[in-house]
Amino acid sequence: MKAVVTVLLVASLFAGCASTPEYEQTSKKLNDGMHYFIKTNYKPCQISRDWAIRTLTNRANKICKSQYILINEQTPVILQPIEAESATRELLWEIKCKDAT
């Protein structure tokens, strides 16, 4: 009986946290070259954050064929109480492509 409860608990945790996050992308020309800003949302659990990081990594690799430099990573602070089930966080990366030299 404990095993069944444990399996159901773990399954509900994955169902609540694990989903493939979508991303948004913008770019801006700066003095040192083109910078890309990619962001995605994730739920407040480690599995969802890991998926968000993989999503941004995959997107950065598609944008920059010759590797990229992660210039900045931001997760804005939420000042209101967090409701575990419905709360989402935002992960924002600023990247720049490495030169193919």
Side-chain angles (χ1 to χ4, degrees), residues 22-59:
E22 295 185 22
Y23 64 89
E24 294 178 32
Q25 174 185 330
T26 58
S27 60
K28 187 173 187 177
K29 178 82 170 161
L30 299 176
N31 289 339
D32 65 341
M34 187 67 75
H35 287 229
Y36 298 90
F37 302 87
I38 49 180
K39 70 178 177 178
T40 190
N41 294 323
Y42 66 97
K43 293 187 178 184
C45 60
Q46 190 60 46
I47 293 170
S48 185
R49 182 170 167 73
D50 291 345
W51 283 22
I53 290 170
R54 281 195 296 269
T55 296
L56 295 181
T57 300
N58 288 339
R59 187 63 199 154

Side-chain angles (χ1 to χ4, degrees), residues 67-93:
Q67 299 184 334
Y68 63 92
I69 301 166
L70 179 60
I71 295 176
N72 192 7
E73 177 180 287
Q74 294 181 1
T75 303
V77 176
I78 299 172
L79 299 176
Q80 58 197 20
I82 299 172
E83 298 171 11
E85 290 296 317
S86 63
T88 60
R89 307 284 196 293
E90 183 178 271
L91 182 61
L92 171 67
W93 279 9

